[in-house]
């Protein structure tokens, strides 16, 4: 990448690239070896704890938080090239830097909306990397890409709230270090304003009535790297009324505030995933021979590589433009661009990784390269934080309004 960033970003990029080469890439195989020896596949391998300690020592910590009180104080534009680098090892590097979802979004929510007491109890240990968290929004029984459909109830009962509902694909919830859930549910289901029906509330994992029922697989993977995805059932779980995040009825607005940065962070990392796939594709092409000549001389392979390079450069420019707009005019002003990158980036990166898999043959679908896991992660992001079609519908609506 040849962009000229400011001095601080360039300094962090240099440090992060060295950190990846010296620590992260060598740790990928080690993490899998250690995980196979753990009592539970959801426990954290020692090498991950070692990476976190080294990253913090080097000042590569909480880079995603723009609020200097809590994080590195970087703008979205400054963070973009750093997140891209971590995307080259998406199951390890973001966790090592304490920049992994869903903790990032949860820390942003707590930094913006939590009370002083909530921050002390939950935000501070999250910032320190001492605990993990989960965001419980998606439900199996409804199309919860439309948040107004959510059926989980958060009902007031004296000085407590009672939470009842079923969630699934709750990222990170299988990790024993995940000690807190931010749960989205309805406190006022009868409100005529469907966007004022929902609230968010903090539910500790050890609350009676919280059942982490099972791990959910993603294209056959259990995604051990950051704590998996779980089905979680709340059987009348009771928490103090003071656990409400923000005001009652503010859940929808908080979710929108959380999802904007989350979407661009995913897209930043996806570009790094595509870059790693291109690198693996090129190395494979120049090292293998088929039908009497190097694969790199096959015209179709050259087309794949050229098209991948063009696509990545286009995506990067769109992501950087979006980051700049978020910094200068806010998330609302960058709404169209946020939707555009969320539509274009996962779709394009899936195609690039798919070509890399094809070029590797059987090795591409095996555990001997990262490509299969990269593909599964990228394909899943066409659903996470809103499926393509929801963003297309909204983006088209905004475009058409200019002509009606």
């Amino acid at each position: 990448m040849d962009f000229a960033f400011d001095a601080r970003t360039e300094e962090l990029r240099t440090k992060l690239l060295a950190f990846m080469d010296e620590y992260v890439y060598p740790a990928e195989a080690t993490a899998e070896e250690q995980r196979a020896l753990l009592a539970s596949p959801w426990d954290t391998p020692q090498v991950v704890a070692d990476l976190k300690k080294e990253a913090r020592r080097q000042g590569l910590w909480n880079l995603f938080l723009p609020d200097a009180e809590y994080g590195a104080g970087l703008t979205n534009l400054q963070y973009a090239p750093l997140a891209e680098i971590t995307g080259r090892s998406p199951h390890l590097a973001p966790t090592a830097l304490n920049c992994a979802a869903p903790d990032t979004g949860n820390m942003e929510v707590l930094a913006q909306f939590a009370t002083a007491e909530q921050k002390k109890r939950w935000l501070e240990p999250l910032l320190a990397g001492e605990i993990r968290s989960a965001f419980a929004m998606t439900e199996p029984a409804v199309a919860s890409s439309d948040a107004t459909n959510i059926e989980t109830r958060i009902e007031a009962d004296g000085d407590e709230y009672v939470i009842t509902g079923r969630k699934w694909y709750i990222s990170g919830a299988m990790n024993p270090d995940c000690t807190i859930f931010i749960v989205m549910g309805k406190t006022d289901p009868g409100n005529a304003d469907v966007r004022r029906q929902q609230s968010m509330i903090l539910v500790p994992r050890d609350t009676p009535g919280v059942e982490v029922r099972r791990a959910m697989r993603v294209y056959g993977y259990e995604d051990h790297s950051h704590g998996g995805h779980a089905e979680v059932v709340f059987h009348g779980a009771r928490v103090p009324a003071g656990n409400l995040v923000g005001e009652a009825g503010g859940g929808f607005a908080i979710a929108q505030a959380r999802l904007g940065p989350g979407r661009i962070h995913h897209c930043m990392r996806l570009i790094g995933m595509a870059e790693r796939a291109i690198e693996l594709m090129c190395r494979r092409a120049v090292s293998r021979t088929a039908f009497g000549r190097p694969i790199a001389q096959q015209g179709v392979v050259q087309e794949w590589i050229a098209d991948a390079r063009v696509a990545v450069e286009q995506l990067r420019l769109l992501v950087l433009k979006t980051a700049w707009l978020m910094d200068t005019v806010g998330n609302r002003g960058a709404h169209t661009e946020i939707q555009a990158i969320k539509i274009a980036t996962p779709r394009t990166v899936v195609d690039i990784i798919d070509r890399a898999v094809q070029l590797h043959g059987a090795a591409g679908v095996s555990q001997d390269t990262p490509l299969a896991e990269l593909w599964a992660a990228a394909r899943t992001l066409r659903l996470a934080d809103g499926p393509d079609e929801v963003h297309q519908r909204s983006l088209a609506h905004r475009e058409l309004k200019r002509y009606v």
Side-chain angles (χ1 to χ4, degrees):
M1 185 166 63
D2 299 324
F3 294 101
F5 291 98
D6 64 277
R8 187 180 183 202
T9 305
E10 290 293 354
E11 177 187 359
L12 288 169
R13 281 189 70 243
T14 300
K15 290 178 66 175
L16 183 53
L17 287 167
F19 180 78
M20 297 288 290
D21 288 338
E22 186 173 355
Y23 295 100
V24 175
Y25 299 133
E28 290 178 335
T30 304
E32 291 305 311
E33 292 168 1
Q34 291 182 353
R35 185 171 285 111
L37 301 174
L38 294 172
S40 165
W42 309 110
D43 290 341
T44 302
Q46 180 60 44
V47 71
V48 176
D50 295 341
L51 285 173
K52 292 172 73 171
K53 183 177 179 180
E54 180 61 25
R56 195 167 188 181
R57 186 189 71 79
Q58 293 193 26
L60 299 171
W61 193 254
N62 291 338
L63 299 176
F64 71 97
L65 267 171
D67 190 335
E69 180 182 356
Y70 303 113
L74 301 176
T75 65
N76 286 293
L77 190 59
Q78 290 175 311
Y79 181 57
L82 307 177
E84 176 182 326
I85 293 169
T86 67
R88 294 176 62 87
S89 184
H91 299 295
L92 201 56
T95 301
L97 275 59
N98 212 39
C99 292
D103 293 325
T104 48
N106 292 341
M107 285 187 269
E108 287 168 339
V109 165
L110 293 171
Q112 292 181 61
F113 302 101
T115 64
E117 181 180 348
Q118 290 170 348
K119 289 178 181 177
K120 184 168 184 60
R121 184 175 180 188
W122 303 115
L123 178 58
E124 290 183 11
L126 280 169
L127 290 169
E130 297 169 354
I131 64 172
R132 301 297 301 269
S133 62
F135 183 65
M137 179 175 175
T138 305
E139 298 182 2
V142 297
S144 46
S145 56
D146 176 0
T148 63
N149 285 337
I150 285 174
E151 294 181 339
T152 294
R153 294 291 185 261
I154 303 173
E155 299 172 303
D157 184 17
D159 59 356
E160 293 180 320
Y161 278 103
V162 182
I163 299 93
T164 304
R166 178 179 168 219
K167 304 285 188 177
W168 75 341
Y169 281 97
I170 306 308
S171 300
M174 295 302 298
N175 190 322
D177 294 330
C178 175
T179 60
I180 186 67
F181 294 90
I182 300 180
V183 181
M184 186 166 178
K186 289 187 176 179
T187 46
D188 187 10
N191 195 312
D193 183 351
V194 295
R195 297 190 177 190
R196 293 291 300 173
Q197 295 178 354
Q198 305 87 3
S199 299
M200 289 195 188
I201 196 160
L202 293 160
V203 182
R205 183 194 189 97
D206 60 2
T207 302
V210 175
E211 177 193 1
V212 179
R213 178 169 288 179
R214 59 171 175 159
M216 303 301 303
R217 294 181 180 178
V218 180
Y219 290 106
Y221 289 102
E222 288 188 320
D223 198 3
H224 301 131
S225 55
H226 72 286
H229 312 277
E231 179 181 0
V232 184
V233 182
F234 299 91
H235 303 278
R238 289 179 173 270
V239 298
N243 282 26
L244 200 70
V245 180
E247 63 176 359
F252 192 93
I254 294 173
Q256 293 304 112
R258 183 187 189 278
L259 290 172
R263 286 166 180 151
I264 194 171
H265 292 170
H266 281 314
C267 291
M268 293 169 179
R269 288 188 292 266
L270 277 162
I271 293 173
M273 293 164 64
E275 286 285 10
R276 186 146 190 210
I278 293 171
E279 177 186 323
L280 291 168
M281 190 160 36
C282 290
R283 292 185 184 280
R284 182 77 168 188
V286 300
S287 67
R288 306 284 283 198
T289 298
F291 304 106
R293 58 176 176 168
I295 293 176
Q297 293 181 15
Q298 302 288 345
V300 67
V301 171
Q302 294 176 353
E303 289 177 10
W304 291 350
I305 292 170
D307 288 348
R309 172 51 55 205
V310 171
V312 166
E313 298 303 326
Q314 291 173 327
L315 289 175
R316 182 180 289 119
L317 286 172
L318 183 54
V319 169
L320 290 174
K321 177 193 176 185
T322 305
W324 172 74
L325 284 171
M326 291 172 70
D327 292 335
T328 54
V329 298
N331 293 2
R332 185 177 295 275
H335 189 262
T336 295
E337 285 74 15
I338 291 172
Q339 290 185 316
I341 61 172
K342 182 58 175 64
I343 295 166
T345 312
R347 179 189 298 171
T348 305
V349 173
V350 165
D351 184 64
I352 291 170
I353 298 171
D354 187 68
R355 297 299 189 189
V357 169
Q358 192 74 8
L359 186 57
H360 281 74
V365 299
S366 77
Q367 69 271 40
D368 291 347
T369 79
L371 290 170
E373 281 193 286
L374 290 177
W375 186 92
R379 181 61 182 84
T380 302
L381 288 173
R382 292 189 61 188
L383 295 169
D385 290 350
D388 292 358
E389 294 75 16
V390 171
H391 294 291
Q392 288 173 307
R393 174 179 178 272
S394 178
L395 183 54
H397 178 71
R398 291 170 69 87
E399 286 292 305
L400 288 168
K401 280 180 65 176
R402 297 159 53 191
Y403 300 94
V404 176

